[in-house]
Amino acid sequence: RNAGMVFSHLWATPGRGFRARLGAMDVDVVASAQEVLEIAEVEGQLRSSEPLPYTAGEVAYAHSKSDPARRLAARLAAKRAAVRLLGTGIGAQDLEVLPGAGGPPRLALSPRAQERLRQLGAQRVLVSLTHERRHAAAAVLLLRSGSG
């Protein structure tokens, strides 16, 4: 379970970017991105006959809730933020936002996305999702173990 994995400290280090304390472990923030979008965009996607940028699992999870468009919008925001971080050759189909079992959501990466994560010098991805009536947002962090 990741329920106890929260940042207790986040600080800047000269020439090295940001460091954070995640539980009892220091980590370096390799990169971060945020995305905010209007839920109406996803509502339009759901009415369209175009292919959706979600996995079957994401769609099933969203439709098990009372507000599927909000759930999918938050997932789309996470995918867009992660795609920006991982760069060329990585798309929404390489990512799946999984619900956390009693904790925060997780971002599952395809083998291609995992390789890109390693190339960037990161070892982990953290994702945070939120939504309200009209907007959804996500933050994605690429992390590596701190070196002291």
Side-chain angles (χ1 to χ4, degrees):
R1 287 182 53 179
N2 292 329
M5 299 300 276
V6 296
F7 285 112
S8 58
H9 297 85
L10 180 66
W11 63 94
T13 55
R16 291 187 47 209
F18 287 94
R19 302 223 43 205
R21 180 162 298 279
L22 181 63
M25 176 177 60
D26 284 348
V27 294
D28 291 325
V29 178
V30 174
S32 67
Q34 298 76 39
E35 179 79 20
V36 178
L37 57 88
E38 292 187 13
I39 293 169
E41 177 183 343
V42 171
E43 292 169 338
Q45 287 178 341
L46 294 175
R47 289 188 299 268
S48 166
S49 61
E50 296 293 318
L52 298 174
Y54 313 103
T55 66
E58 289 169 329
V59 172
Y61 174 77
H63 284 287
S64 75
K65 304 298 180 186
S66 63
D67 52 357
R70 289 181 193 176
R71 305 293 174 141
L72 290 172
R75 280 155 176 73
L76 181 58
K79 288 181 173 209
R80 286 180 178 171
V83 164
R84 276 202 322 275
L85 292 174
L86 296 171
T88 305
I90 303 300
Q93 73 280 0
D94 291 301
L95 310 164
E96 181 175 16
V97 181
L98 301 170
R106 295 181 299 115
L107 193 61
L109 306 177
S110 71
R112 180 172 49 186
Q114 289 174 6
E115 176 58 28
R116 182 66 182 134
L117 182 70
R118 283 189 292 276
Q119 290 171 356
L120 293 170
Q123 299 160 330
R124 294 186 60 185
V125 178
L126 289 184
V127 62
S128 178
L129 308 175
T130 189
H131 55 78
E132 49 94 32
R133 193 168 27 129
R134 292 181 25 207
H135 296 91
V140 176
L141 298 174
L142 305 185
L143 304 174
R144 74 173 152 244
S145 295
S147 55

